[in-house]
Amino acid sequence: MKPFLRLMKALSDANRVKIVKMLKRRPMCVCELQTALGVAQPTVSNHLKVLEDAGLVESAKAGQWVNYSLAEGESAYARALLQHLETWLEDDPEIARLLSGLDDIRRENICSVKPAK
């Protein structure tokens, strides 16, 4: 029962649901998620940690970036919820606005990464 409750608690926050919906579209880094949500970087990182602990999100380092994406779903609960979340809330105005703006949010334009010398 603990994994199920951890999953439910992870999705009990509006920003975490928004993160899952955005990651359903494409992998994203913290700075992109931060820009989309309009919250502080530590807040986004905390949300990602909760989602990772619940088995919904995974991270992978790619060069200078850490990409977050939806996990394959180790548990049947996580797989089922991720499958349903694909269509849930699509008609919600706030979710629709958030998802429609994702194409304009790119890490290259947000994060000031200086090349190594």
Side-chain angles (χ1 to χ4, degrees), residues 23 26-30 48 52 57-59 66-69:
L23 294 179
R26 65 178 167 98
M28 299 176 78
C29 68
V30 171
L48 288 167
E52 278 186 298
V57 170
E58 59 190 12
S59 62
V66 176
N67 293 316
Y68 290 88
S69 59

Side-chain angles (χ1 to χ4, degrees), residues 40-106:
Q41 180 272 323
T43 302
V44 173
S45 293
N46 287 335
H47 286 315
L48 288 167
K49 175 76 171 123
V50 171
L51 291 167
E52 278 186 298
D53 289 347
L56 293 168
V57 170
E58 59 190 12
S59 62
K61 185 134 173 78
Q64 61 197 14
W65 308 106
V66 176
N67 293 316
Y68 290 88
S69 59
L70 293 182
E72 295 295 319
E74 295 177 14
S75 77
Y77 299 126
R79 282 192 304 275
L81 273 170
L82 289 174
Q83 182 180 9
H84 288 294
L85 275 170
E86 186 168 335
T87 57
W88 287 348
L89 299 171
E90 289 295 311
D91 59 349
D92 180 84
E94 191 173 353
I95 296 291
R97 178 195 55 76
L98 184 69
L99 296 178
S100 70
L102 283 186
D103 289 341
D104 297 327
I105 298 174
R106 293 289 173 191

